[in-house]
Structure formats: structure tokens, C-alpha cells
Amino acid sequence: MSGGAAAASRTFRRTVRGTGPEKVPSLVAAACTFVGLLDIAAGVFPRFRHSHFHALAEVLPGALGPFAAALALSAGVLLLLLAHGLKRRKRRAWRAAVVLLPAGAVAQFTYRHSIVGVLIAALLLALLLRHRGEFAALPDPRSRWRALANFFLLGTFSLGLGTVIVATHPHKVIGDPSLADYLTHVVYGLFGVEGPLAYTGRTSWTVGYSLGALGMLTALTTVYLAFRPEHPAARLTEDDETRLRALLDRHGARDSLGHFALRRDKGVVFSPSGKAAVTYRVVSGVMLASGDPIGDVEAWPGAIERFMDEARKHSWTPAVMGCSETGGEVWTRETGLDALELGDEAVVDVMDFSLTGRAMRNVRQMVKRIERSGYTTRVRRVRDLDEAELARVQRAAADWRGADNERGFSMALGRIGDPADGDCLIATAHKKDAEAARSTSDRAAAGEGPAEVPGPYGDLKAVLHFVPWGRNGVSLDLMRRDRTADPGMNELLIVAALKAAPELGITRVSLNFAMFRSALARGERLGAGPVLRTWRGLLVFLSRWFQIESLYRFNAKFRPRWEPRFVIFRSTRDLPRIGIAAMRAEGFVTLALPRFVRPA
């Protein structure tokens, strides 16, 4: 192929990748949702079954009319379950719809002899078959714990819908049952057992079959999820990690977030040449990459194309969190995606850092006050800690975390003290309590050796962990401190790390990422407009939960230079979904099963 033809081919592929999703899956998903809701309404509400609107429902696929309310409920719930998968072009959802539509058409003809309903079902089936190539997405990562989640979620939905079914026949109920009787009847009905309520006419059969259908759906879907093959989430293999470390050795100085690509709960795709890679995690159908691609910039397009191919195969929503300006330019150029400034990374140049001057007075005074209180600091490479001290640091970092889940994704390694991470940096703060100090003094006076410091962490009071950023830089990974320690431990240790940096060959230190930093900074300036002030006020309000303003204020204390970071996305309508997925990945939002049903 000639150079011009190859360039034209690449341009065409980028144009195709930059276009929105196909319309057919969205239309089919909308139709399934609409029909599913009509089916449920037809099976639940007696008045709906005799309304003019129901005349439309009776000719749509799956709507089986008042003579088969249970089947209408079953079809409606199944169509609602399938709609999301069809919108995401999932192959399994397509196969299920192809089976369900003919079954619904046969049922319609059998119960109501509806030729129109059969024709509409056949039309939608033909549409699915005609565009079967659009529904080729592979399954998402999953485990059998999804079956337990399905049991709780669909069981709760069935319980609520069953309560509505029982409550929509108040004039057909015999006697004056209590609320407990209604709930008991629903629970019994889900298990196919007759409950305490009695109805006049054929209503008892309608309610009983409807509740039984909901219970059967819950059971069958749970059994299916429990016994289907597992598709575990992507993980870094030893070979993947070895290849990534080799790329970081050669190109790790380019991006301060590069070393975080070595998190072992990420997947990775390499460029065809193997000279570049993109790491990612899939959260709620969003394929999240973080930072810039790893490796040679010239090979980035190949890795990005592999990333986009993987997203298309699974119908995942592609997104990149926290890439640099250079990375954003390459991503948008190669994929047609869009970019939005997300915030700024605080980078301190060691040679320019000093505690002198009015601007550093608060930090200087805080550090001196803490040092006068008896705190000392040590800054070392991880490989220089002995096993006992490293074990204490690991226990302390885990116990001082303050949350059940580990927070961090784009700027967190997720481990401390791994043998492969010997170049990581640990800054620790120490202070012996009065009793331990007296014991040590007494033993020294008696000519004995130093006493062991009591407690599970010894005299350790705070820990900062940094990961390598090339050969002459480090990036802040985590900050942990004893809650009983004096305030200012983090400031003390950052200053200690910056002072020790020249001896360790470190010339630059990356601190925390400050989301929407420019909006916070501009919004408090004189003359800021009402829109900017309102946006800043909203960010300050959200800071109560997400530390947006506090991280900006903390970073600003050290007079850093600010490096913008961006989020890459396909469409503005994807941003809410990407935001939720990012918060889940970072640990700010947790959608976990109850403690008593979690795997050990």
C-alpha cells in the first residue's frame, strides 16, 4: 500500500472511531424498555388492561394481555434486563432477545390470535438479525458473586413489585387484612405458596401466577449467574509487569504517574511493537485508563488503538483520567475523543524549595513547633528498611487508613514494601512516649541496651510513601498518620523528604492532585464573576466529602508549579457515568455487598 493510501486508511479509521455509537442498538434497547414497562403495567394494573393505551400494548412483542398476566410480567422483566445489554451491543443480550421475541409472538397468537403482534415481533426480530453484526460485544469481567448481588437486587425488586400487585386489587380482597398479611402474602407468593389473603373471582389466580412468575425469574436468573462461566477482571501478569518495568526504566521520567501503572488490579494492552502500553481498569462498563501511555511517545498511537479496539470488542465506554497535556493531545488526535481539564498536579522542584520567606511562614512555624515537641524524621528507600521495621510500617499504614476500602487508582500504587519496589521512598515520623523515654533512660544509666519501644508500631507516628518518577523524581503515593499524633505530620514529612531529596539524587517531587484547582483559585480572586463564584461555592460544598478544596490548600502551602491534567471522554453524556466509575475506582463510592455475605 502506498504512503498516501495508508494515510487515508488511518484517517478513515480514526474518523470511524470518533463517530458516535450506532443507532440500531439504542433504538432496540429503547423499544425493549418501552415494551417491558407496558408488559409490567399490563400484568399489574387491572385498569391499564382495560384502557385505550393498553390497546397499543397488546400489539407489541411480549405483551400477552390480561389473560396471561404472569407471562406479561415475566416478559416485561426480561426485556428490562435485556435492554441495557442491547444498548451496549452485548452478544448474549442479542441471543436472549432473538429467543424471547419468537416465544412472545407464539404466546400472543396462542392466547389472543394477534396477527399484528406477531408481525411486530417478526419485524423486530428481523431488525435484530439484519444488524446482528452490531451486537458483537464480549462479556464484561464478572464472578459468581454477581449471582448473590442479582438475588438481593432482583429479589428486592420482585418484593416491591409484588406488593404493588397485591395492593392493586383492594375491592377484590375478602375481609380486612393487615399490612403484615399483605407482606406475608407477597413473600409466600414469590415461593409459589398460597398466602393468607383471599380474593373474589379469578383475581386470586392472577395474583398467584404473577407472584410465582416473579419468584421464578429471580430464582432462574440467580441460578444462571451462579453456574455460568467466570470471566475474571484483567490483572497484570508477571510477564506484563516485567515488560512495563522495562518501559519505565527507559521512559519513566516523562510522566509522574507512570509507576502507578504497576498496580496489579489493572489490565494492560501493548502496542504492536511492544514499545508502549496503556493500563486500565473496567468499572461499571467504563474502561478507565489513568495517566499517559507508558513507553516511547512514537509508539503511543499503536497502544491507544489497541485500547480502543478492546473497548469496542466489549462495548466499554473509553475514558482516560489524569493524562498530561501532551497525552491529551495524542489521545484526542488518534481517537477523535474530547478532552476536559480536570485539575492540576502539584510539582515541587527541589532546588527551588526553601522554608525561608513570608510565603512559607506558616509551614516553617508548624514544622518547628512539631520538632520542638520531640518528633524526629527519617527518609529512606524501601530497600534500606529491615524486615521488622517494614512490617511495622505496613501494619501502621493499614490500620491508620481510616476506611474499609483502599482509596486511590490514578495516583496510588496499592501496596508498600513489595520486593520489586525497592526504589520507592518512605518518610517516617517518630516520637517516643514519656514512659518509653524513661525506660530507655533508665536502661542506659544501668549500662543496659536500649529497650524495645512498646506498642504494635513502636515510636512510629506517621508515614509517607513515594513511588519513583524516573531516576531523579518521586511521586506521592499515600499519607498515613496516627490519629493521636500532633497535627501537621504530613507537612513535617513532606518538608523532611524535600530536604533529604538532594542526597538521594531527587530533583523533583510530585504531590497530590488538586481537582478543579484553577476554578477554586480564580473563584476567590477579586472581580470573579457570578458563574465562577457559584461554581467555586459548589466545589467548596462538595469538599465536605471529597476533599477538593483541602487538597488544593494543602498543596499550595509548598509553592509548587501546577501541571494541568485532563479527562478524555467520548461524549458529554458519558461524563456522569465516567465520573461515577472514577469515584468507584478511587474508592470514594463503594457499591459492595453487605459484610456478612462478602467472600472471605
Side-chain angles (χ1 to χ4, degrees):
M1 182 181 292
S2 66
S9 176
R10 288 194 298 270
T11 302
F12 174 76
R13 290 197 303 270
R14 293 167 189 167
T15 302
V16 171
R17 289 196 295 267
T19 58
E22 293 293 335
K23 298 294 184 181
V24 172
S26 298
L27 290 175
V28 171
C32 281
T33 302
F34 179 68
V35 173
L37 292 174
L38 288 179
D39 288 348
I40 292 173
V44 173
F45 301 106
R47 293 182 180 179
F48 179 84
R49 295 200 297 269
H50 300 288
S51 66
H52 291 293
F53 195 61
H54 181 251
L56 172 64
E58 285 193 338
V59 300
L60 292 176
L64 304 178
F67 301 103
L71 292 177
L73 282 174
S74 301
V77 173
L78 286 173
L79 287 170
L80 288 180
L81 293 175
L82 291 175
H84 181 63
L86 289 171
K87 186 176 181 179
R88 295 184 58 205
R89 302 184 294 110
K90 291 297 183 180
R91 191 66 170 177
R92 290 180 182 271
W94 178 86
R95 290 171 178 169
V98 166
V99 172
L100 181 62
L101 285 172
V106 171
Q108 285 210 47
F109 187 78
T110 302
Y111 281 99
R112 293 188 297 102
H113 307 291
S114 173
I115 301 298
V116 176
V118 172
L119 290 177
I120 293 180
L123 180 63
L124 285 180
L125 179 62
L127 184 66
L128 283 173
L129 294 174
R130 170 67 177 80
H131 296 278
R132 59 184 178 274
E134 300 292 338
F135 301 90
L138 299 178
D140 289 346
R142 66 195 183 207
S143 70
R144 291 192 173 93
W145 289 101
R146 291 282 298 276
L148 192 57
N150 176 82
F151 176 77
F152 279 100
L153 294 176
L154 191 54
T156 302
F157 173 79
S158 298
L159 187 64
L161 186 58
T163 303
V164 174
I165 293 172
V166 172
T168 53
H169 303 274
H171 302 298
K172 300 293 184 68
V173 178
I174 300 175
D176 187 20
S178 64
L179 178 61
D181 291 331
Y182 276 97
L183 295 177
T184 302
H185 193 85
V186 173
V187 174
Y188 280 23
L190 293 176
F191 286 93
V193 180
E194 187 175 354
L197 299 187
Y199 296 88
T200 60
R202 300 182 61 185
T203 303
S204 179
W205 290 94
T206 302
V207 171
Y209 281 127
S210 298
L211 294 176
L214 290 175
M216 183 179 65
L217 272 180
T218 303
L220 290 178
T221 55
T222 300
V223 170
Y224 166 73
L225 292 173
F227 288 97
R228 68 177 178 172
E230 292 192 41
H231 288 260
R235 292 288 187 271
L236 282 186
T237 65
E238 291 186 8
D239 179 63
D240 291 337
E241 186 171 340
T242 300
R243 295 174 66 185
L244 284 174
R245 288 185 183 276
L247 293 177
L248 287 171
D249 285 342
R250 293 192 295 270
H251 307 282
R254 213 211 57 78
D255 185 18
S256 62
L257 306 189
H259 199 85
F260 298 119
L262 297 176
R263 284 183 66 106
R264 289 166 185 154
D265 57 357
K266 291 183 176 181
V268 61
V269 289
F270 289 91
S271 66
S273 65
K275 295 181 179 179
V278 176
T279 59
Y280 66 90
R281 185 194 295 176
V282 178
V283 182
S284 301
V286 178
M287 190 177 183
L288 279 175
S290 59
D292 292 343
I294 307 300
D296 188 353
V297 176
E298 296 296 326
W300 283 7
I304 290 173
E305 184 170 1
R306 288 280 179 88
F307 176 88
M308 297 299 292
D309 288 343
E310 193 74 10
R312 276 195 303 277
K313 283 194 300 184
H314 294 269
S315 193
W316 292 330
T317 299
V320 185
M321 302 297 297
C323 68
S324 69
E325 189 167 2
T326 300
E329 290 174 352
V330 177
W331 272 102
T332 55
R333 184 183 71 237
E334 294 296 323
T335 64
L337 301 179
D338 207 348
L340 179 69
E341 186 172 340
L342 187 61
D344 296 89
E345 175 189 9
V347 178
V348 179
D349 294 312
V350 173
M351 298 301 296
D352 297 334
F353 178 77
S354 174
L355 286 176
T356 61
R358 183 178 180 85
M360 299 297 296
R361 181 177 61 182
N362 290 337
V363 176
R364 182 172 64 250
Q365 291 176 346
M366 178 178 289
V367 170
K368 288 183 178 179
R369 176 180 57 79
I370 296 173
E371 289 176 341
R372 286 196 299 268
S373 298
Y375 286 89
T376 59
T377 60
R378 301 183 69 185
V379 181
R380 293 156 291 171
R381 299 284 184 181
V382 167
R383 60 173 172 265
D384 296 329
L385 275 70
D386 59 47
E387 292 184 5
E389 185 174 9
L390 181 58
R392 283 197 300 271
V393 169
Q394 291 171 330
R395 284 199 306 271
D399 294 345
W400 295 341
R401 186 168 60 197
D404 289 340
N405 58 305
E406 182 77 46
R407 287 190 172 181
F409 165 67
S410 56
M411 294 187 71
L413 186 60
R415 60 180 184 267
I416 296 179
D418 191 279
D421 298 323
D423 286 339
C424 290
L425 200 68
I426 285 186
T428 53
H430 308 264
K431 182 183 180 183
K432 295 181 180 179
D433 57 33
E435 181 179 350
R438 283 196 302 271
S439 175
T440 301
S441 177
D442 294 342
R443 291 175 66 88
E448 302 176 4
E452 284 291 327
V453 180
Y457 319 122
D459 61 353
L460 186 65
K461 297 299 180 183
V463 176
L464 260 62
H465 186 252
F466 299 83
V467 300
W469 174 11
R471 289 183 170 80
N472 62 348
V474 291
S475 295
L476 181 59
D477 176 23
L478 63 80
M479 301 184 294
R480 301 281 163 78
R481 68 179 183 87
D482 188 341
R483 300 300 176 183
T484 64
D486 293 346
M489 290 291 101
N490 293 330
E491 289 88 341
L492 173 69
L493 287 179
I494 286 179
V495 170
L498 290 169
K499 288 182 176 179
E503 296 182 4
L504 296 169
I506 295 170
T507 61
R508 52 186 181 170
V509 177
S510 170
L511 301 180
N512 286 304
F513 172 74
M515 289 185 62
F516 308 114
R517 195 274 315 175
S518 58
L520 289 169
R522 292 197 302 267
E524 62 184 355
R525 292 177 184 170
L526 182 66
V531 175
L532 191 55
R533 288 200 302 269
T534 301
W535 175 226
R536 181 183 178 277
L538 177 61
L539 293 176
V540 172
F541 174 75
L542 294 175
S543 295
R544 300 179 182 180
W545 297 277
F546 300 113
Q547 298 180 325
I548 298 173
E549 186 185 28
S550 59
L551 279 177
Y552 160 57
R553 299 291 182 193
F554 178 83
N555 291 335
K557 292 179 181 180
F558 303 97
R559 317 297 293 177
R561 56 182 170 89
W562 298 101
E563 297 289 342
R565 291 279 174 172
F566 299 84
V567 56
I568 307 299
F569 59 97
R570 182 172 56 192
S571 170
T572 52
R573 63 175 175 266
D574 291 334
L575 285 176
R577 186 180 178 192
I578 293 171
I580 293 173
M583 287 192 290
R584 287 189 60 192
E586 297 287 354
F588 290 108
V589 175
T590 304
L591 302 177
L593 295 174
R595 286 178 179 271
F596 65 90
V597 297
R598 293 182 193 174

